[in-house]
Amino acid sequence: MARSHLTLAALATSAVAGADIVGSRPLSSSTTHRFDSAVVTLRSGEEYAVRVPVNSDAESEQSRDLVALRALTAGVRTRLPFHIPDQLGQAPIGQTRAVVYDYIQGRPATLADVGGEGSASDSIGRAIAAIHSLPTSVVSDAGLPSHTASQIALSSRKLSDRAAASGRVPKELLTRWSLALEDSALWQFQPTVVNGSLGPESFLVIDDQVMGVLGWQELKVGDPALDLFWLNSAARSESADRVFAAYEHALARPADRQLRKRARLYAELEIARWLLHGIDSRDEGIIADAEGMLDALRTTVQNDLLNPLSTDTGQIMAVEDVEAMLDRTPLPGRSATSVGAESKAHANRIAED
């Protein structure tokens, strides 16, 4: 049973010394099924947000978020054109804890906020660019993960291979992903600081401005495309174009030319990740949902052959040609022998599907 906002207000009183709370209200968000949340009002007029995780996964997420927030020091935050929550206190409740933060004004954005004039697109693009412009020492000094381009490519390959092994992914998609994953030009990028879990709801907006960014539990050094792949869900490509344009304009350095292709690849691989989650949890509903999305994606890809994921826009290759190419083209950091064996098995799985 969800905890009431009155219960959460009492916890905030325990968590923050001297907090003179005079009111409270529920705080709704896209994560309410994993957190009980409320906003409390102090006599001074200040407002705090209170969150209590409702399961172990949410508790782990909250713990990682707190580590990241500590890494984002006051000096780091002066580099960002938006607010990040400050942790103000904690109070135990049962086997978990309530965490109190300062409350950032604004509503969670939706894909409808990604559009043309008068939308938050420009502000969202600038916000993401500011994150990616932070020095990587912010992450490394805090002991948070740092990944190289070759490590990121290898991780994506493993995800694709696992999905292929399920026998549930259309061969057209496996071929498409293989070409992208083995295209060395696609993976020549400089890793940056990334939030790692951005979506439209991560941005708190008022009118057309981003006021705050929430959810820092995946903070790391990684592929900047990870923070942009959600834009592939925008209703119109022109809407995403505006965010990318603002992002590239605000960067302190030129954006790599393959950024959008990798973002698209990550968006497609998210469906594979959802499929594997269903398989691992033996949830037939999730599996069926993922298979439906993969089938729809196959149709979309077949109808849009002018937008491949790989940088080579030549003739579409047959499965046998893919197998031969993969045997010849190892990923950085992997031996030709190991890649050849894995690629042959992968191509065989494509053929079997």
Side-chain angles (χ1 to χ4, degrees), residues 313-327:
T313 57
Q315 182 178 0
I316 302 299
M317 300 175 70
V319 171
E320 295 80 6
D321 296 327
V322 174
E323 178 180 350
M325 183 201 72
L326 298 184
D327 282 336

PDB file of all heavy atoms in Angstrom, residues 313-327:
ATOM      1  N   THR A 313      26.711   3.270 -47.496  1.00  0.00           N
ATOM      2  CA  THR A 313      25.362   3.339 -48.064  1.00  0.00           C
ATOM      3  C   THR A 313      25.263   2.619 -49.393  1.00  0.00           C
ATOM      4  O   THR A 313      24.410   2.915 -50.223  1.00  0.00           O
ATOM      5  CB  THR A 313      24.941   4.809 -48.254  1.00  0.00           C
ATOM      6  OG1 THR A 313      25.911   5.460 -49.097  1.00  0.00           O
ATOM      7  CG2 THR A 313      24.865   5.529 -46.923  1.00  0.00           C
ATOM      8  N   GLY A 314      26.146   1.656 -49.591  1.00  0.00           N
ATOM      9  CA  GLY A 314      26.128   0.908 -50.840  1.00  0.00           C
ATOM     10  C   GLY A 314      25.014  -0.115 -50.866  1.00  0.00           C
ATOM     11  O   GLY A 314      24.057  -0.066 -50.102  1.00  0.00           O
ATOM     12  N   GLN A 315      25.149  -1.105 -51.746  1.00  0.00           N
ATOM     13  CA  GLN A 315      24.114  -2.115 -51.947  1.00  0.00           C
ATOM     14  C   GLN A 315      23.881  -2.916 -50.674  1.00  0.00           C
ATOM     15  O   GLN A 315      24.807  -3.231 -49.935  1.00  0.00           O
ATOM     16  CB  GLN A 315      24.552  -3.064 -53.074  1.00  0.00           C
ATOM     17  CG  GLN A 315      23.519  -4.133 -53.402  1.00  0.00           C
ATOM     18  CD  GLN A 315      23.993  -5.006 -54.544  1.00  0.00           C
ATOM     19  OE1 GLN A 315      25.080  -4.804 -55.071  1.00  0.00           O
ATOM     20  NE2 GLN A 315      23.182  -5.965 -54.920  1.00  0.00           N
ATOM     21  N   ILE A 316      22.623  -3.250 -50.392  1.00  0.00           N
ATOM     22  CA  ILE A 316      22.291  -4.080 -49.244  1.00  0.00           C
ATOM     23  C   ILE A 316      22.924  -5.451 -49.424  1.00  0.00           C
ATOM     24  O   ILE A 316      22.816  -6.080 -50.477  1.00  0.00           O
ATOM     25  CB  ILE A 316      20.762  -4.222 -49.090  1.00  0.00           C
ATOM     26  CG1 ILE A 316      20.123  -2.841 -48.949  1.00  0.00           C
ATOM     27  CG2 ILE A 316      20.415  -5.098 -47.901  1.00  0.00           C
ATOM     28  CD1 ILE A 316      20.599  -2.063 -47.748  1.00  0.00           C
ATOM     29  N   MET A 317      23.585  -5.953 -48.379  1.00  0.00           N
ATOM     30  CA  MET A 317      24.340  -7.194 -48.477  1.00  0.00           C
ATOM     31  C   MET A 317      23.484  -8.398 -48.119  1.00  0.00           C
ATOM     32  O   MET A 317      22.615  -8.320 -47.248  1.00  0.00           O
ATOM     33  CB  MET A 317      25.557  -7.140 -47.543  1.00  0.00           C
ATOM     34  CG  MET A 317      26.511  -5.996 -47.853  1.00  0.00           C
ATOM     35  SD  MET A 317      27.842  -5.877 -46.639  1.00  0.00           S
ATOM     36  CE  MET A 317      28.782  -7.344 -47.048  1.00  0.00           C
ATOM     37  N   ALA A 318      23.764  -9.509 -48.769  1.00  0.00           N
ATOM     38  CA  ALA A 318      23.111 -10.764 -48.433  1.00  0.00           C
ATOM     39  C   ALA A 318      23.727 -11.322 -47.157  1.00  0.00           C
ATOM     40  O   ALA A 318      24.807 -10.916 -46.736  1.00  0.00           O
ATOM     41  CB  ALA A 318      23.282 -11.768 -49.578  1.00  0.00           C
ATOM     42  N   VAL A 319      23.047 -12.316 -46.557  1.00  0.00           N
ATOM     43  CA  VAL A 319      23.533 -12.896 -45.311  1.00  0.00           C
ATOM     44  C   VAL A 319      24.926 -13.481 -45.486  1.00  0.00           C
ATOM     45  O   VAL A 319      25.805 -13.329 -44.634  1.00  0.00           O
ATOM     46  CB  VAL A 319      22.546 -13.980 -44.813  1.00  0.00           C
ATOM     47  CG1 VAL A 319      23.137 -14.751 -43.646  1.00  0.00           C
ATOM     48  CG2 VAL A 319      21.224 -13.345 -44.420  1.00  0.00           C
ATOM     49  N   GLU A 320      25.175 -14.166 -46.631  1.00  0.00           N
ATOM     50  CA  GLU A 320      26.491 -14.757 -46.857  1.00  0.00           C
ATOM     51  C   GLU A 320      27.579 -13.690 -46.911  1.00  0.00           C
ATOM     52  O   GLU A 320      28.693 -13.889 -46.423  1.00  0.00           O
ATOM     53  CB  GLU A 320      26.482 -15.565 -48.165  1.00  0.00           C
ATOM     54  CG  GLU A 320      25.558 -16.785 -48.145  1.00  0.00           C
ATOM     55  CD  GLU A 320      24.098 -16.413 -48.394  1.00  0.00           C
ATOM     56  OE1 GLU A 320      23.831 -15.231 -48.690  1.00  0.00           O
ATOM     57  OE2 GLU A 320      23.243 -17.296 -48.281  1.00  0.00           O
ATOM     58  N   ASP A 321      27.248 -12.529 -47.494  1.00  0.00           N
ATOM     59  CA  ASP A 321      28.217 -11.437 -47.564  1.00  0.00           C
ATOM     60  C   ASP A 321      28.479 -10.848 -46.187  1.00  0.00           C
ATOM     61  O   ASP A 321      29.596 -10.447 -45.866  1.00  0.00           O
ATOM     62  CB  ASP A 321      27.712 -10.344 -48.511  1.00  0.00           C
ATOM     63  CG  ASP A 321      27.587 -10.840 -49.940  1.00  0.00           C
ATOM     64  OD1 ASP A 321      28.405 -11.701 -50.325  1.00  0.00           O
ATOM     65  OD2 ASP A 321      26.679 -10.380 -50.650  1.00  0.00           O
ATOM     66  N   VAL A 322      27.426 -10.778 -45.375  1.00  0.00           N
ATOM     67  CA  VAL A 322      27.601 -10.285 -44.009  1.00  0.00           C
ATOM     68  C   VAL A 322      28.563 -11.190 -43.250  1.00  0.00           C
ATOM     69  O   VAL A 322      29.471 -10.736 -42.551  1.00  0.00           O
ATOM     70  CB  VAL A 322      26.241 -10.223 -43.270  1.00  0.00           C
ATOM     71  CG1 VAL A 322      26.452  -9.859 -41.810  1.00  0.00           C
ATOM     72  CG2 VAL A 322      25.331  -9.211 -43.941  1.00  0.00           C
ATOM     73  N   GLU A 323      28.383 -12.518 -43.397  1.00  0.00           N
ATOM     74  CA  GLU A 323      29.251 -13.464 -42.705  1.00  0.00           C
ATOM     75  C   GLU A 323      30.705 -13.257 -43.107  1.00  0.00           C
ATOM     76  O   GLU A 323      31.602 -13.200 -42.257  1.00  0.00           O
ATOM     77  CB  GLU A 323      28.816 -14.897 -43.025  1.00  0.00           C
ATOM     78  CG  GLU A 323      29.712 -15.953 -42.382  1.00  0.00           C
ATOM     79  CD  GLU A 323      29.252 -17.353 -42.705  1.00  0.00           C
ATOM     80  OE1 GLU A 323      28.158 -17.506 -43.258  1.00  0.00           O
ATOM     81  OE2 GLU A 323      30.005 -18.288 -42.399  1.00  0.00           O
ATOM     82  N   ALA A 324      30.953 -13.107 -44.393  1.00  0.00           N
ATOM     83  CA  ALA A 324      32.322 -12.921 -44.867  1.00  0.00           C
ATOM     84  C   ALA A 324      32.908 -11.613 -44.351  1.00  0.00           C
ATOM     85  O   ALA A 324      34.071 -11.549 -43.939  1.00  0.00           O
ATOM     86  CB  ALA A 324      32.351 -12.949 -46.395  1.00  0.00           C
ATOM     87  N   MET A 325      32.099 -10.546 -44.362  1.00  0.00           N
ATOM     88  CA  MET A 325      32.589  -9.255 -43.896  1.00  0.00           C
ATOM     89  C   MET A 325      32.930  -9.290 -42.414  1.00  0.00           C
ATOM     90  O   MET A 325      33.954  -8.772 -41.978  1.00  0.00           O
ATOM     91  CB  MET A 325      31.545  -8.174 -44.150  1.00  0.00           C
ATOM     92  CG  MET A 325      32.014  -6.774 -43.754  1.00  0.00           C
ATOM     93  SD  MET A 325      30.657  -5.622 -43.484  1.00  0.00           S
ATOM     94  CE  MET A 325      30.012  -6.246 -41.937  1.00  0.00           C
ATOM     95  N   LEU A 326      32.077  -9.937 -41.614  1.00  0.00           N
ATOM     96  CA  LEU A 326      32.315  -9.991 -40.177  1.00  0.00           C
ATOM     97  C   LEU A 326      33.570 -10.789 -39.852  1.00  0.00           C
ATOM     98  O   LEU A 326      34.280 -10.492 -38.900  1.00  0.00           O
ATOM     99  CB  LEU A 326      31.103 -10.597 -39.465  1.00  0.00           C
ATOM    100  CG  LEU A 326      29.788  -9.821 -39.601  1.00  0.00           C
ATOM    101  CD1 LEU A 326      28.704 -10.492 -38.765  1.00  0.00           C
ATOM    102  CD2 LEU A 326      29.961  -8.382 -39.182  1.00  0.00           C
ATOM    103  N   ASP A 327      33.858 -11.826 -40.632  1.00  0.00           N
ATOM    104  CA  ASP A 327      35.085 -12.591 -40.418  1.00  0.00           C
ATOM    105  C   ASP A 327      36.324 -11.737 -40.680  1.00  0.00           C
ATOM    106  O   ASP A 327      37.373 -11.939 -40.078  1.00  0.00           O
ATOM    107  CB  ASP A 327      35.115 -13.815 -41.338  1.00  0.00           C
ATOM    108  CG  ASP A 327      34.231 -14.947 -40.818  1.00  0.00           C
ATOM    109  OD1 ASP A 327      33.979 -14.965 -39.597  1.00  0.00           O
ATOM    110  OD2 ASP A 327      33.807 -15.778 -41.625  1.00  0.00           O
TER     111      ASP A 327
END
